[in-house]
């Protein structure tokens, strides 16, 4: 990122919502929370702020299947596990992935820039709900 990051009041509010969130948020959830601080803000302004924050590397976008994109405050390399029952998304690290990527790079001569593993399953709460039916 060679250019200086230009933070407007709206971008700062969007970033603060993401950084303070207890989970990964959709654009709509971010908009709803930002409106509590900036009631006049437009959805398009929030969406543009999210695009900018992703572009400059201050947030990550996580795509989990056919649902809406989620915004993640955690920037370091990590993976995600998603529940097919309730849609909950958790951060995780797939053990041994770094070594597997290094081996893949050697074998293919690719320069690997990014890797993300998305694991789908059923969380403990949904397992209990399913077995008690």
């Amino acid at each position: 990122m060679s250019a200086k990051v230009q933070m407007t009041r709206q971008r700062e509010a969007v970033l603060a919502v993401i950084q303070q969130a207890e989970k990964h948020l959709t654009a709509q959830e971010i908009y709803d929370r930002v409106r509590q601080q900036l009631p006049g803000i437009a959805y398009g302004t929030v969406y543009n702020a999210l695009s900018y924050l992703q572009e400059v590397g201050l947030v990550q976008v996580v795509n989990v299947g056919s649902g809406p994109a989620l915004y993640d405050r955690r920037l370091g390399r990590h993976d995600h596990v998603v529940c097919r029952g309730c849609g909950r998304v958790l951060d995780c690290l797939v053990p041994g992935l770094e070594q597997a990527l290094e081996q893949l790079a050697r074998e293919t001569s690719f320069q690997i820039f990014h890797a993300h593993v998305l694991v789908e399953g059923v969380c403990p709460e949904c397992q209990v709900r399913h077995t008690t039916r």
Side-chain angles (χ1 to χ4, degrees):
M1 173 173 42
S2 58
K4 184 180 177 205
V5 176
Q6 297 181 4
M7 294 298 285
T8 63
R9 190 177 76 169
Q10 293 87 350
R11 290 174 182 165
E12 288 174 353
V14 169
L15 183 58
V17 163
I18 295 168
Q19 290 176 334
Q20 295 165 8
E22 68 288 349
K23 65 177 187 129
H24 301 79
L25 300 173
T26 65
Q28 182 66 51
E29 291 171 322
I30 294 165
Y31 170 68
D32 292 342
R33 293 181 185 195
V34 170
R35 278 190 55 206
Q36 294 173 6
Q37 301 165 23
L38 303 172
I41 195 165
Y43 182 81
T45 302
V46 170
Y47 192 80
N48 290 337
L50 289 168
S51 179
Y52 178 80
L53 294 171
Q54 179 191 4
E55 182 182 312
V56 298
L58 294 175
V59 299
Q60 274 193 45
V61 176
V62 179
N63 293 301
V64 289
S66 60
L70 301 173
Y71 293 86
D72 192 347
R73 66 182 175 199
R74 191 169 165 195
L75 300 176
R77 214 213 75 63
H78 66 285
D79 306 297
H80 294 91
V81 59
V82 60
C83 177
R84 283 192 173 179
C86 65
R88 183 167 65 169
V89 178
L90 299 176
D91 292 339
C92 66
L93 282 174
V94 174
L97 185 60
E98 294 297 328
Q99 295 82 1
L101 291 172
E102 290 171 9
Q103 181 178 345
L104 179 63
R106 282 192 304 275
E107 291 175 2
T108 63
S109 298
F110 266 67
Q111 183 179 8
I112 297 173
F113 298 119
H114 175 78
H116 174 252
V117 175
L118 178 66
V119 178
E120 295 180 3
V122 181
C123 72
E125 290 84 4
C126 288
Q127 291 172 37
V128 169
R129 276 182 278 207
H130 181 70
T131 58
T132 57
R133 288 183 192 174

